[in-house]
Amino acid sequence: MNRFTITNPANCIGCHTCEAACAVAHLDAAEASSFQQDSFRPRLKVIFGREITSTTQCRHCDNAPCVIACPTKALTHVGDTVQFVGERCFGCKTCVIACPYGAINLVNHKVMKPVPDSISARSVQPIAFKCDLCVDRANGPACVEACPTQAIRLTTSASADEMLSATRERATHNPAT
Amino acid sequence: MEKVCTVCPYCGTGCGMELSVENGRIIEVKGDKAHPVNQGELCLKGYYGYQHVADNRRLTTPLIKRDGHFVPVGWDEALDYVAKRLTEIKAQHGPDSFALFSSARANNEDNYAAQKFTRAVIGTNNIDHCARLCHASTVSGLGTTLGSGSMTNSIPEIGTHSDVILIIGSNTAECHPLIARQVVNAQARGAKVIVIDPRGTDMANKADIFINPKVGYNIPVINAMINVIISEKLHKPDFIAQHTTGFDDMARAVEDYTPENIELMTGIPAQQLVEAARLFANAKAAAILYAMGITQFTHGTANVMALSNLAVITGQIGRPGAGICPLRGQNNVQGSCDLGALPNSYPAYLRVTDEKVATHFEQAWQAKLSRNVGLRVTQVPAAIEENKLKALFVFGENPLMSDPDSDELRHELEHLELVIVMDLFMTETARRADVVLPSTGWAEKDGTFTNTERRVQRVRKAVEPPEGAREDWWTFGEIAKRMGYDGMSYNSAEDIWNEVRRIVPATYGGISYARLDHEPGLCWPCPDENHPGTPILHQGGLFATPTQKAELRPVLFDPDILPKEKGIVYERPMLGCIAEHTDTEYPFLLTTGRRVYHYHTGTMTRKSPVLHQLAPEERIELNPADAKELGVRDGDFIRVETRRGYIVARSMVTDRVQPHTIFGTFHYWEACCNELTSAGPLDPEAGIPEYKISAAKVSKSSPAEAAAWHKKISDICKIDLQYVGTRSQAYA
């Protein structure tokens, strides 16, 4: 089973701390000092509606529509996550349409070496962009760590099992609920 | 890497935090796990709002304006100049020609120094600060009815003890996120939440009962709840008989406020009011959380007293988790009130008009003191207009953005002979000053903050201030010395604090720096070193009023005109109406508030890039029905105009606001809603303006008009966008 983060709307107060933490966690040292709008991008989004407050982010689906849709394998399964490899993306946007959660954004990406004198040589092109579960971060997903109300939690195969047995336990003792 | 424990400099929640310092710079902020309020958690301002500390736009030298331009000068020259000018103005126009705006951002020690300077050195009580614009109604309201104008309980009790939480006029999730966390914790325990708010805030999403009145209709809703409680006999007659006065008048005043009548008046279903009343009255421990949606009205004091009536008759006060919680806005707005940055009181709310009190302070300070109540912040523009005021000293406040009707205030400031601004940055107000003095910020000095639950906490120096910046209390002491007063030559913040403890021991005697090093703050009153502090006020129904009884007051409301005739049959009734009504010319109701990303005028948060990147510009909330009618799509520019002026800003189309209501903030100088708000009329008791209601017209705008507006407001604010950046250029 893939790992994923999910937000409990009962706890989410819409404070946007997760967005800030996400954007900061993905800045490299040079970007962190300059803070250009281009590099400062949260990968999850707080949804603040009239009835509910929550966040949307990548669910790292096991049978992921984005992975199936991607013609260049820019979106692939890596271990128990779905990851995005920027170099392979050519901006076809199929994944954006395929994702049922709206978790994939298109963002402007600076192309390092545009082909000189080519008519298609734009220095900036849109590519897909999504949650990477902070796989390289020692403390796990930054949003989970920062959330002041523990609304966002990381679900792993082990924690799902734990939750299931707790639910079964509760249901056995108290069938009415 | 060094770790320093301190307190968050933003809202009144007062979260404990740990700064990681490397090479003299803060590199990371973490929540303090041992702190009772936030238990290791922080919101985004706590985590990322520190970056302004090392910003290169910090002021680093005193500046004196000569021929319209700021000239950097040395500290001695600046202090000599200020002392000379103040001495001249005092001699020529008298001490009451001087006023000082103290700072709810600065620590207790700075505030104490500021009020001592104003009173002992200048000889006037013209000292006030922005509490006048936020919780003045609480100080006057709860101060009268309960004897203490502050939060009655501690924050953690909400999470652990309250089983019903009534949130009225507070956008808790955005303005006090770590208090909202306590509400969420309470709900996980099974507590019920009632939210009364004209806006669909996040707390409304979380509510078990959400009552959605029009802006300004607080009293009808609260009185209807009281009406139900009394008619269904859910009140506590024994408690009322023993611990209160005025029940019969109060009860008679709510007789007309039946749920059915209020449904006719407001459209709120009567059944909802009945359910809310029953839920509240039957709670084991019910807490009321409120903020600007109660206080910022011309009848703010009446609103507060209505809430006080509700809590007192149901006995929901003076027990763990049961009480009235005004959520104070700023990190130290409680402290600056407590320390006497108010025109009518010395530290610990001792009245300036009381001869015995005045004599006590005269002996302590060795100075002749005025017995006259001074000017309030909101009376200052009129006093300038009347030629009574000649010099204004503003520190750690940015009134040109935070006070109502910016244009009028800008106009008035020009009539002053001397404006002194002491701040971290060249604020919109500082640009119009004659003298600008650089000060040290929260992470660069020692001291104490008092949060909304009256918890006095230690603020610790983590990094060196920029070269040239000085602590506010040092600057006040130096000016005092040059004006011939030696009683303010302190060596440290602790020095000042110990003087405070000596001078008002009943409140602070037991709160020493040594104790604060081991304990996570102490709630005043704390009279001696063995006293544990007082997290819960009014325990056992013993109120802080002179009679030890809570005062119940008749509160009456009529939207159109003050119900004076109806009030005639009562002794001291509280009356409310709405000051500015919408009409055919100004058909929209503009209401103002804050957003989670920024703090007030953005002086600090807009210089903290993470926060600024998340919310770089103003968005005015507009209901989808209105947007459709105006042909405005989400994000289009709109023009908002009131009788005071206009702004152009982007829209945010959302059904969180009711039709014909718009919501904006005062975070952005580019589109500050205080260009639009009204500076009068004021609440007669509290002197607070009606920020929450202005009649406005709204029209679709264009990028071209937005650009023209931006140019205009840049010129007005004297902000040259080319020069926002480097240290030397910032002074140009």
Side-chain angles (χ1 to χ4, degrees):
Chain A
M1 190 194 105
N2 280 354
R3 279 183 282 163
F4 63 102
T5 59
I6 191 157
T7 301
N8 176 2
N11 278 21
C12 175
I13 57 170
C15 70
H16 298 268
T17 307
C18 52
E19 291 183 352
C22 176
V24 171
H26 292 92
L27 292 173
D28 62 36
E31 289 169 341
S33 59
S34 64
F35 280 106
Q36 294 304 305
Q37 205 131 28
D38 273 359
S39 55
F40 188 85
R41 286 186 290 235
R43 291 158 193 244
L44 80 175
K45 179 96 187 117
V46 173
I47 304 297
F48 198 163
R50 188 63 175 67
E51 302 286 330
I52 200 165
T53 315
S54 192
T55 70
T56 56
Q57 64 264 35
C58 175
R59 290 285 274 274
H60 295 266
C61 310
D62 282 81
N63 188 9
C66 60
V67 174
I68 297 166
C70 181
T72 61
K73 293 195 164 48
L75 285 152
T76 56
H77 289 278
V78 178
D80 55 356
T81 64
V82 173
Q83 296 295 340
F84 171 72
V85 186
E87 298 84 67
R88 295 191 198 144
C89 175
F90 63 96
C92 77
K93 310 168 210 52
T94 317
C95 57
V96 177
I97 296 162
C99 176
Y101 295 103
I104 302 183
N105 271 315
L106 272 189
V107 299
N108 283 332
H109 174 69
K110 283 203 184 74
V111 179
M112 286 306 145
K113 291 176 194 159
V115 184
D117 305 325
S118 154
I119 49 163
S120 65
R122 285 189 294 175
S123 62
V124 169
Q125 70 172 46
I127 61 165
F129 180 77
K130 71 170 210 56
C131 162
D132 60 1
L133 273 181
C134 292
V135 279
D136 299 327
R137 199 168 172 274
N139 289 346
C143 54
V144 174
E145 196 183 17
C147 177
T149 56
Q150 286 78 44
I152 311 180
R153 288 178 190 263
L154 178 68
T155 305
T156 60
S157 189
S159 74
D161 284 348
E162 256 173 56
M163 184 203 70
L164 276 174
S165 32
T167 309
R168 285 181 194 124
E169 187 91 355
R170 201 169 54 236
T172 313
H173 289 296
N174 198 356
T177 58
Chain B
M1 195 168 65
E2 197 195 342
K3 305 257 188 198
V4 180
C5 258
T6 190
V7 180
C8 179
Y10 289 103
C11 79
T13 310
C15 298
M17 55 194 208
E18 194 182 83
L19 310 180
S20 299
V21 179
E22 206 170 77
N23 302 325
R25 283 172 81 113
I26 305 168
I27 54 160
E28 195 182 32
V29 178
K30 292 257 182 240
D32 177 355
K33 288 199 165 61
H35 199 276
V37 170
N38 58 310
Q39 291 134 342
E41 306 295 341
L42 291 174
C43 77
L44 77 170
K45 289 196 287 290
Y47 279 122
Y48 304 110
Y50 67 87
Q51 292 165 311
H52 66 275
V53 173
D55 192 281
N56 64 4
R57 285 164 284 187
R58 283 287 297 274
L59 294 167
T60 55
T61 168
L63 303 163
I64 295 179
K65 200 178 263 168
R66 290 183 182 136
D67 305 324
H69 294 281
F70 283 119
V71 180
V73 296
W75 268 101
D76 275 329
E77 187 179 344
L79 293 167
D80 288 343
Y81 178 75
V82 168
K84 178 174 143 274
R85 292 290 289 125
L86 288 179
T87 308
E88 285 167 3
I89 290 170
K90 183 180 164 183
Q92 205 182 339
H93 304 286
D96 289 335
S97 64
F98 170 91
L100 189 142
F101 288 178
S102 203
S103 175
R105 315 292 286 147
N107 57 34
N108 285 327
E109 291 74 5
D110 292 329
N111 276 284
Y112 178 81
Q115 60 89 35
K116 186 172 175 182
F117 173 79
T118 308
R119 295 188 159 117
V121 181
I122 307 283
T124 177
N125 286 312
N126 288 345
I127 176 162
D128 202 3
H129 69 289
C130 64
R132 185 63 52 207
L133 309 167
C134 67
H135 269 293
S137 332
T138 296
V139 175
S140 62
L142 297 186
T144 306
T145 58
L146 310 180
S148 173
S150 47
M151 186 158 159
T152 59
N153 296 60
S154 68
I155 295 168
E157 287 168 47
I158 299 166
T160 54
H161 285 80
S162 306
D163 64 342
V164 171
I165 299 159
L166 169 66
I167 303 175
I168 178 165
S170 158
N171 183 3
T172 321
E174 286 203 69
C175 301
H176 301 89
L178 272 297
I179 296 181
R181 172 176 169 270
Q182 298 286 352
V183 177
V184 169
N185 288 352
Q187 281 190 304
R189 270 194 299 111
K192 300 287 181 215
V193 174
I194 306 165
V195 170
I196 305 172
D197 205 298
R199 274 174 85 221
T201 62
D202 173 72
M203 295 330 285
N205 288 352
K206 300 270 179 295
D208 296 280
I209 299 177
F210 172 41
I211 295 174
N212 189 218
K214 280 201 284 183
V215 185
Y217 285 69
N218 290 299
I219 294 171
V221 174
I222 303 163
N223 275 1
M225 287 177 67
I226 296 175
N227 177 295
V228 173
I229 287 166
I230 294 176
S231 63
E232 298 194 0
K233 299 197 168 33
L234 302 174
H235 56 297
K236 302 273 185 302
D238 293 347
F239 185 85
I240 293 167
Q242 268 180 22
H243 300 296
T244 73
T245 59
F247 178 75
D248 293 341
D249 264 8
M250 192 281 299
R252 203 146 51 89
V254 300
E255 272 171 11
D256 289 344
Y257 292 77
T258 60
E260 293 72 26
N261 283 348
I262 300 312
E263 177 168 345
L264 285 177
M265 183 194 221
T266 63
I268 298 163
Q271 193 52 33
Q272 233 190 356
L273 296 165
V274 173
E275 279 168 23
R278 287 178 187 158
L279 188 60
F280 182 85
N282 289 327
K284 285 195 217 65
I288 299 175
L289 274 51
Y290 76 88
M292 305 298 93
I294 282 289
T295 58
Q296 286 180 335
F297 290 97
T298 50
H299 54 277
T301 308
N303 281 340
V304 171
M305 287 188 178
L307 284 179
S308 168
N309 290 343
L310 176 64
V312 169
I313 64 159
T314 49
Q316 300 291 7
I317 195 156
R319 288 180 285 116
I324 303 186
C325 307
L327 305 180
R328 306 295 301 249
Q330 281 156 322
N331 56 331
N332 197 37
V333 65
Q334 183 68 48
S336 37
C337 289
D338 300 342
L339 269 300
L342 294 172
N344 62 344
S345 63
Y346 290 111
Y349 303 96
L350 298 170
R351 300 278 159 179
V352 298
T353 46
D354 186 327
E355 188 55 39
K356 227 171 100 188
V357 168
T359 318
H360 168 69
F361 281 93
E362 280 183 338
Q363 278 166 0
W365 291 345
Q366 292 295 305
K368 181 93 191 76
L369 301 174
S370 166
R371 263 62 165 174
N372 302 324
V373 171
L375 289 172
R376 296 163 167 179
V377 162
T378 45
Q379 291 170 324
V380 161
I384 301 172
E385 183 71 37
E386 290 160 20
N387 237 344
K388 287 180 187 156
L389 210 61
K390 297 293 174 189
L392 181 66
F393 197 131
V394 179
F395 91 101
E397 240 185 54
N398 189 11
L400 280 184
M401 278 180 69
S402 59
D403 291 21
D405 198 353
S406 314
D407 203 50
E408 190 201 316
L409 189 59
R410 280 192 292 263
H411 176 74
E412 295 302 346
L413 284 192
E414 275 169 18
H415 294 172
L416 288 167
E417 284 182 23
L418 181 67
V419 179
I420 306 158
V421 172
M422 183 152 74
D423 215 303
L424 307 180
F425 293 99
M426 185 58 87
T427 62
E428 287 67 23
T429 310
R431 284 165 205 277
R432 290 174 176 267
D434 301 295
V435 181
V436 176
L437 303 171
S439 51
T440 53
W442 58 280
E444 299 154 356
K445 59 186 178 186
D446 285 304
T448 54
F449 288 159
T450 308
N451 76 350
T452 185
E453 49 169 2
R454 297 169 283 106
R455 188 186 299 273
V456 180
Q457 318 191 69
R458 264 291 260 124
V459 181
R460 292 182 183 86
K461 179 171 174 171
V463 294
E464 285 300 324
E467 203 188 326
R470 296 282 185 276
E471 285 170 282
D472 299 314
W473 58 259
W474 177 88
T475 307
F476 285 121
E478 288 296 312
I479 302 170
K481 207 190 303 173
R482 284 165 169 80
M483 292 178 74
Y485 182 74
D486 283 331
M488 290 182 63
S489 306
Y490 303 108
N491 292 316
S492 65
E494 187 171 8
D495 229 13
I496 303 177
W497 186 248
N498 286 334
E499 178 175 317
V500 174
R501 293 173 60 209
R502 275 196 307 276
I503 216 161
V504 281
T507 307
Y508 295 120
I511 307 176
S512 65
Y513 272 30
R515 259 186 102 179
L516 292 178
D517 279 340
H518 314 292
E519 296 176 59
L522 286 158
C523 297
W524 65 255
C526 177
D528 62 72
E529 296 256 6
N530 298 316
H531 193 286
T534 314
I536 305 174
L537 295 178
H538 318 308
Q539 292 198 59
L542 295 178
F543 292 94
T545 51
T547 56
Q548 293 201 324
K549 288 186 175 186
E551 222 177 277
L552 298 167
R553 291 280 284 270
V555 183
L556 299 166
F557 178 82
D558 183 330
D560 301 317
I561 186 162
L562 272 188
K564 283 186 185 152
E565 279 180 25
K566 278 193 179 162
I568 238 161
V569 295
Y570 303 106
E571 206 183 318
R572 298 190 304 149
M574 298 302 298
L575 310 176
C577 76
I578 286 166
E580 187 171 275
H581 288 269
T582 53
D583 52 29
T584 46
E585 201 189 347
Y586 296 96
F588 281 84
L589 188 157
L590 165 71
T591 190
T592 64
R594 300 200 269 130
R595 293 199 191 283
V596 70
Y597 317 95
H598 286 299
Y599 202 82
H600 286 192
T601 69
T603 310
M604 289 151 70
T605 52
R606 291 197 72 197
K607 294 185 182 72
S608 297
V610 170
L611 303 178
H612 189 54
Q613 286 285 351
L614 278 174
E617 63 183 338
E618 174 68 344
R619 301 285 298 272
I620 308 269
E621 290 182 10
L622 180 70
N623 186 277
D626 297 321
K628 201 174 162 197
E629 205 177 301
L630 295 167
V632 171
R633 285 173 312 171
D634 186 45
D636 281 354
F637 286 109
I638 54 173
R639 178 192 159 109
V640 181
E641 185 176 343
T642 68
R643 291 180 176 88
R644 272 71 60 186
Y646 77 98
I647 61 169
V648 179
R650 283 189 198 277
S651 65
M652 180 196 281
V653 177
T654 169
D655 56 3
R656 283 159 66 183
V657 285
Q658 297 168 359
H660 276 79
T661 303
I662 53 172
F663 170 87
T665 74
F666 56 112
H667 298 319
Y668 304 91
W669 61 266
E670 301 95 321
C672 176
C673 281
N674 282 330
E675 301 283 340
L676 310 172
T677 50
S678 163
L682 305 170
D683 179 292
E685 314 227 352
I688 198 167
E690 196 150 284
Y691 280 107
K692 288 292 185 248
I693 300 183
S694 307
K697 54 183 158 193
V698 179
S699 55
K700 186 175 174 171
S701 185
S702 62
E705 189 183 21
W709 158 253
H710 194 274
K711 170 83 178 63
K712 183 180 168 193
I713 191 68
S714 306
D715 291 345
I716 290 173
C717 291
K718 299 183 193 281
I719 292 174
D720 192 332
L721 295 175
Q722 283 185 331
Y723 290 120
V724 177
T726 64
R727 217 166 255 213
S728 56
Q729 285 169 332
Y731 305 143

